[in-house]
Amino acid sequence: MKILHPISITLLYLSLSSASAYQWSTSLLSRINPLIGSAGPEPNLSGGMIPSVAPPFGSTRWVAQNQNSYVSATPFNYTESYMNNGTIHGFMGTRQPAIWMGESAWAAVVPGMSSGSDGDIKTGFEERGMPKIAGTEKFGVGLYSVELAIPESGGSTVQVSMSASSRVGHFQFIFKQGSDSEYQPYIFLPTTRPATIFHNPSTFVTTYPNGTVQISPMTNEICGSNTEMQDFILAPNSIKDAASHFTGWYCATFDVPFNDTGFGVTVGTGDSTMRSELAESGSGEELGAYARFQFPSNDTQDNTRSESTTMTVNVRIATSLISADQARHNLYADTQDDVGSFAIQDTQTVTENAWAEKIGRFQVETDNSSESEDKLAVFLTGVYHAMQYPYEVHETIPSSTNASHYYSAYDNALHEGESYSGYSIWDTYRAEWALLILLAPERIPTMVRSMLQDFEEGGWLPMWKNMIETNIMVGTHADSLLAEAVLKGFGAGSTDGFEETFTTEELTTIWKAAWKDASVPPVDDSSVVYSDREENVDYEVRAGLSTFFEQYAGGQGWVANDIHSESVSRTLDYAYDDHVVAALSTLIPSEIIQNNTPNLSSITSDFYQNKSEIADFNVTTLLTDRSMANPWTVWNADASAPAVATGGDDIKGFVQARQQNGSWAGTTDGFTEGDRWVYSFAFVHDVAELVKQRGGNESFVKSLNEFFDGGWVDFTNEPAHHTPYLYALAGAAAYTQERVREIAQKNYNNTPNGLSGNEDCGQMSAWYVFSAMGFYPVNPVSGVYVVGSPFFSALNVSLPVPPFMPESHPSITSNPYYNPATKSYELCILAPGAENKPYVKSLKINGRVIGDMEEPLISHEEIRFGGLIEFEMSDRVESWGGGKGAWAELTSKLDAQSHSTSYSFHDQSQTNTVSVDHVEL
Ligand SMILES: *[C@@H]1O[C@H](CO)[C@@H](O)[C@H](O)[C@H]1NC(C)=O
Ligand SMILES: *[C@@H]1O[C@H](CO)[C@@H](O)[C@H](O)[C@H]1NC(C)=O
Ligand SMILES: *[C@@H]1O[C@H](CO)[C@@H](O)[C@H](O)[C@H]1NC(C)=O
Ligand SMILES: *[C@@H]1O[C@H](CO)[C@@H](O)[C@H](O)[C@H]1NC(C)=O
Ligand SMILES: *[C@@H]1O[C@H](CO)[C@@H](O)[C@H](O)[C@H]1NC(C)=O
Ligand SMILES: *[C@@H]1O[C@H](CO)[C@@H](O)[C@H](O)[C@H]1NC(C)=O
Ligand SMILES: *[C@@H]1O[C@H](CO)[C@@H](O)[C@H](O)[C@H]1NC(C)=O
């Protein structure tokens, strides 16, 4: 086959090809900046990210701890004073998935020194603080290192190296004895701590979780458990009992025996610490265990000691949600060197290779300016952030080599299979899931199964799973994740898709779970508010569904503001969810739908009793009708706002909350994490109608401009994420190109403050990663991306071919973009000069020209098996993307504006060499 193949860079790899797994280059790992998003003046203006070490989707992420972790505080908070002269209080294996979520099942390791062979152990968080030695702290994705001064130890220090696999933290401590030889090293394992629990609104309460420790001096091992699960207070009533049994376990092994040098158990902190020297077990609150070590003995001849007396202790500490025995098993099962090597470099190599398998898939050509290099760092760090969630909570079954099992807090039982936690689905359904589908397709089936397991064990799909459901945010957007996965070829048995990944039984469960979301209101739907972080309620799911239900069930189409919180956001989100369940009903074999859609009247809910008119219906039609009709019940066509920034006529038509009796509520009522401005654009499945309601393309575009220029946009929060791409759907693609670049510049940079809002389990970064590639999934279940403005001259990504793809599939046997060396589909995005040229002049995808007047859309089908996207960029506004006719009216305005924007364009005489050649295969 003769075809233009763009990927000379990947051809270099051909010579390295071998039968075994391809070894991805680690060279780009050093471009990741693990500090991005770890600072911020307040929790909601911080990324909430931490510079942790762990592999992709790692179960526990290990981090140097400089503050206690709880809802609104991560274990590491970057500040200038920390960097200049900060203290580290220990090293923590955290499972806190986002800054607004609670910690659970953590473990920690703290080195220290004590006076003599039985001196004090520093147990409390503050007293454990050790100043960093200037210039020694190094952050990497596979290895973190620092040198710490140990206070009150005669000038002793400890050099710390930290690496981690998914369930094992690995430490190397090199203790250096100071001038006073009396001081001897110890390693302390905090096991339970005072836990700060956040009750809405703004009340923090300290609780004291219980735990156990078990020391085995003859096998150099310390294991422990603690019952802390900070978000337990949010557990739905029906699983609370089961979830109350939740326990996290750890098991640590040391490469230096401590049976002769001492060990023990501590209870309490500070002066009131009770220390039981040589105790082998303990239980209780504020509990810890320690092992003591001794420097090699003095030069007894002249009784002087060289400055360099050192000793090295390696510690590996595994975590488990199942048992101490399982944690001990994880020590050896996790690192791929089943002898459990104590060489930290082995763990580092395994973890870096795991990151290379994601990051090394990218090859990016830029103009090499420092600005572009920073953008590349933001981009690669974005991929790194996006590939941390959701995270694994399954563990290897000890009697098997590969099979996994997991502990479920939904039913307090052990199940076979794999499971994930950290699903912030209200955020991640937007673009993070689409990015996972492209970059981690091998995990999509198990991530989907994990959600189905949650449904089977707890009764509902997850909304915000943090070990248990937490009812945080609104809508049942897991429906969207399921529909998008099935739409994009995972498992509906489509002939051009992957090998079938879901059985008929699983597809049935997918349907039952999504249909339940769409049809069954929560417990006491007419009396419980289900407000944000409301405690002691059951699963929130679609609170207000009863009144939302529309004509089929005597509902009215909107969630009543006087019954439920966040009523407008709910109405709009439920309409989108109906749209996705309608889509799902056409993607799943019809026998499954027919046999598993109970008549609404048979659902055991008071609301549906005696509603005979809904007994017979076509589910696709019902949900499509609801999704198209209901959002407009909260559209107040008469509401208006002055066009302060854009001038001229008022902006007309806004969403507004409605009471049960149909009257309008206040204009600020009924929103979650947004206001009437941003929610008036929350119609991703019906943009055409929205444009119409706002008076056609030109006035719609004007309303978007007012939104951006009038100070209404808050890009730190997710409802705004798709808004710059709406211009392109109204014939004004050049505005999309400008806004996307402006947003990228204002909200992302290569510093600890480099995320303007919470990362939210990868969504903030997924926006950047897609935008930098030049397209974004505005409606995730539409199967199309809206074109924006790519940031780099050339970007090639080797998309993974998932292991379940049959070898005989045409995407492998006759696809010019399949690369046998890397076993990948090569997707190449060429945009010469994009660094300095924000506007798109023309676009070709796999040879298909997207003409000036066509809608600027790329379909998932066009790129899922690789492809060639060729942008022609321009430094001035172009007419490309004017498909819906707003263009004529806007040309002059855009032209004028493009010269007054704040972009710092580079000298155009500077030539951009794109080293990606066209070669013939
Ligand atoms: C980090 O610490 C600083 C200084 O105490 C504080 O002002 C800031 O709010 C903290 N940031 C976060 C995200 O917690
Ligand atoms: C940050 O969050 C707090 C608490 O939720 C809220 O009161 C405050 O207004 C938020 N600040 C910003 C800038 O969003
Ligand atoms: C660093 O902080 C410690 C207290 O943690 C203080 O004693 C010391 O003077 C500080 N050093 C510098 C250079 O500021
Ligand atoms: C703490 O755990 C230990 C061991 O399981 C148990 O004996 C003790 O009763 C527990 N204490 C509390 C307060 O629950
Ligand atoms: C401690 O362990 C070492 C190595 O296993 C052994 O040689 C030694 O006898 C043990 N000491 C005691 C006091 O049991
Ligand atoms: C080293 O020598 C000093 C002085 O004799 C003594 O106090 C100390 O205990 C010795 N340390 C060790 C580890 O033997
Ligand atoms: C439901 O309606 C759609 C659209 O009209 C149609 O294609 C589909 O076959 C219908 N489904 C059933 C089960 O009748």
Side-chain angles (χ1 to χ4, degrees), residues 508-812:
T508 304
T509 310
I510 287 176
W511 174 252
K512 282 182 172 169
W515 172 242
K516 186 177 179 187
D517 279 345
S519 60
V520 181
V523 168
D524 295 331
D525 193 27
S526 57
S527 54
V528 175
V529 176
Y530 290 103
S531 60
D532 190 36
R533 294 178 191 270
E534 185 168 346
E535 295 168 27
N536 304 312
V537 298
D538 212 329
Y539 277 90
E540 171 175 325
V541 286
R542 295 203 206 173
L545 184 65
S546 317
T547 55
F548 175 84
F549 218 91
E550 239 235 337
Q551 67 267 32
Y552 293 92
Q556 47 202 12
W558 66 89
V559 173
N561 187 62
D562 38 0
I563 302 180
H564 294 291
S565 66
E566 304 145 289
S567 62
V568 181
S569 302
R570 289 184 193 277
T571 303
L572 298 171
D573 279 9
Y574 300 173
Y576 170 75
D577 290 338
D578 275 348
H579 166 73
V580 308
V581 181
L584 194 57
S585 75
T586 67
L587 293 165
I588 286 182
S590 55
E591 315 83 71
I592 294 180
I593 306 295
Q594 272 155 22
N595 297 335
N596 296 283
T597 311
N599 285 345
L600 295 183
S601 55
S602 72
I603 293 168
T604 48
S605 155
D606 288 350
F607 185 78
Y608 298 105
Q609 298 311 305
N610 311 316
K611 297 270 193 319
S612 57
E613 70 274 24
I614 59 170
D616 192 26
F617 60 93
N618 172 323
V619 68
T620 310
T621 315
L622 179 151
L623 293 175
T624 303
D625 287 356
R626 235 166 61 174
S627 75
M628 303 304 265
N630 285 3
W632 302 105
T633 65
V634 291
W635 184 263
N636 183 351
D638 296 327
S640 68
V644 174
T646 51
D649 295 344
D650 286 359
I651 309 301
K652 282 201 76 175
F654 282 90
V655 290
Q656 193 167 334
R658 293 180 77 172
Q659 313 292 34
Q660 197 178 13
N661 69 11
S663 61
W664 295 113
T667 56
T668 58
D669 285 3
F671 299 105
T672 187
E673 304 203 354
D675 58 17
R676 67 173 187 153
W677 274 93
V678 72
Y679 273 100
S680 291
F681 294 113
F683 293 79
V684 295
H685 66 287
D686 199 6
V687 177
E689 182 61 25
L690 174 62
V691 170
K692 218 155 93 192
Q693 294 286 340
R694 273 268 164 95
N697 283 341
E698 188 177 0
S699 74
F700 175 72
V701 166
K702 179 187 144 103
S703 76
L704 270 171
N705 278 343
E706 185 65 31
F707 172 66
F708 280 99
D709 296 332
W712 297 106
V713 65
D714 173 13
F715 198 78
T716 68
N717 225 318
E718 275 70 13
H721 281 194
H722 70 287
T723 57
Y725 287 93
L726 294 177
Y727 286 108
L729 298 175
Y735 271 137
T736 291
Q737 296 150 21
E738 287 195 353
R739 297 294 185 194
V740 162
R741 298 234 174 177
E742 186 184 306
I743 289 167
Q745 194 176 55
K746 280 191 187 154
N747 294 276
Y748 301 82
N749 64 50
N750 184 18
T751 74
N753 280 298
L755 289 174
S756 65
N758 297 163
E759 180 58 91
D760 290 330
C761 294
Q763 170 57 28
M764 194 77 185
S765 284
W767 183 92
Y768 193 93
V769 172
F770 271 116
S771 294
M773 293 196 293
F775 50 91
Y776 186 84
V778 169
N779 174 354
V781 300
S782 64
V784 298
Y785 303 93
V786 177
V787 176
S789 171
F791 300 173
F792 303 114
S793 281
L795 183 151
N796 192 82
V797 51
S798 306
L799 300 173
V801 177
F804 38 82
M805 179 61 92
E807 296 272 332
S808 60
H809 194 271
S811 70
I812 291 175

Side-chain angles (χ1 to χ4, degrees), residues 377-594:
V378 172
F379 177 83
L380 295 172
T381 306
V383 177
Y384 164 70
H385 284 177
M387 299 296 126
Q388 297 186 13
Y389 314 100
Y391 64 89
E392 300 170 339
V393 290
H394 49 276
E395 306 170 49
T396 312
I397 298 175
S399 60
S400 81
T401 46
N402 258 325
S404 295
H405 58 178
Y406 64 92
Y407 170 79
S408 168
Y410 292 81
D411 62 359
N412 185 35
L414 199 57
H415 300 269
E416 282 193 23
E418 301 188 1
S419 180
Y420 288 84
S421 185
Y423 279 96
S424 178
I425 301 178
W426 183 82
D427 302 291
T428 58
Y429 84 92
R430 298 162 202 268
E432 161 74 3
W433 186 245
L435 194 61
L436 292 175
I437 285 174
L438 282 178
L439 294 182
E442 71 282 359
R443 290 187 186 249
I444 296 295
T446 44
M447 287 176 177
V448 166
R449 285 189 189 106
S450 173
M451 293 189 274
L452 301 181
Q453 289 155 190
D454 297 342
F455 167 73
E456 283 171 338
E457 292 151 20
W460 294 93
L461 290 169
M463 290 171 72
W464 214 132
K465 178 184 182 185
N466 186 20
M467 296 298 176
I468 35 95
E469 181 52 56
T470 62
N471 281 345
I472 290 198
M473 300 314 294
V474 301
T476 56
H477 300 316
D479 308 341
S480 183
L481 271 46
L482 299 178
E484 189 177 356
V486 176
L487 174 78
K488 292 185 173 174
F490 291 86
S494 61
T495 50
D496 68 342
F498 303 125
E499 188 172 306
E500 201 165 314
T501 51
F502 298 123
T503 61
T504 298
E505 201 184 353
E506 284 166 337
L507 286 169
T508 304
T509 310
I510 287 176
W511 174 252
K512 282 182 172 169
W515 172 242
K516 186 177 179 187
D517 279 345
S519 60
V520 181
V523 168
D524 295 331
D525 193 27
S526 57
S527 54
V528 175
V529 176
Y530 290 103
S531 60
D532 190 36
R533 294 178 191 270
E534 185 168 346
E535 295 168 27
N536 304 312
V537 298
D538 212 329
Y539 277 90
E540 171 175 325
V541 286
R542 295 203 206 173
L545 184 65
S546 317
T547 55
F548 175 84
F549 218 91
E550 239 235 337
Q551 67 267 32
Y552 293 92
Q556 47 202 12
W558 66 89
V559 173
N561 187 62
D562 38 0
I563 302 180
H564 294 291
S565 66
E566 304 145 289
S567 62
V568 181
S569 302
R570 289 184 193 277
T571 303
L572 298 171
D573 279 9
Y574 300 173
Y576 170 75
D577 290 338
D578 275 348
H579 166 73
V580 308
V581 181
L584 194 57
S585 75
T586 67
L587 293 165
I588 286 182
S590 55
E591 315 83 71
I592 294 180
I593 306 295
Q594 272 155 22

Side-chain angles (χ1 to χ4, degrees), residues 855-874:
E855 279 207 297
L857 304 176
I858 292 177
S859 76
H860 183 69
E861 280 304 314
E862 287 175 300
I863 62 167
R864 67 183 284 218
F865 300 130
L868 172 59
I869 304 179
E870 294 170 279
F871 285 94
E872 186 184 359
M873 304 304 288
S874 170

Side-chain angles (χ1 to χ4, degrees), residues 799-865:
L799 300 173
V801 177
F804 38 82
M805 179 61 92
E807 296 272 332
S808 60
H809 194 271
S811 70
I812 291 175
T813 57
S814 56
N815 173 8
Y817 301 110
Y818 174 69
N819 184 343
T822 61
K823 293 195 168 63
S824 309
Y825 304 126
E826 304 290 357
L827 175 63
C828 185
I829 301 160
L830 300 180
E835 292 79 5
N836 309 318
K837 298 177 177 178
Y839 299 105
V840 177
K841 189 169 186 184
S842 72
L843 176 61
K844 247 194 305 191
I845 168 148
N846 304 333
R848 175 175 80 88
V849 174
I850 301 183
D852 283 4
M853 298 304 282
E854 280 177 58
E855 279 207 297
L857 304 176
I858 292 177
S859 76
H860 183 69
E861 280 304 314
E862 287 175 300
I863 62 167
R864 67 183 284 218
F865 300 130

Side-chain angles (χ1 to χ4, degrees), residues 158 294 545:
V158 59
Q294 262 174 27
L545 184 65

Side-chain angles (χ1 to χ4, degrees), residues 42 44-45 100 202 714:
E42 51 175 309
N44 36 7
L45 297 177
W100 290 109
S202 307
D714 173 13

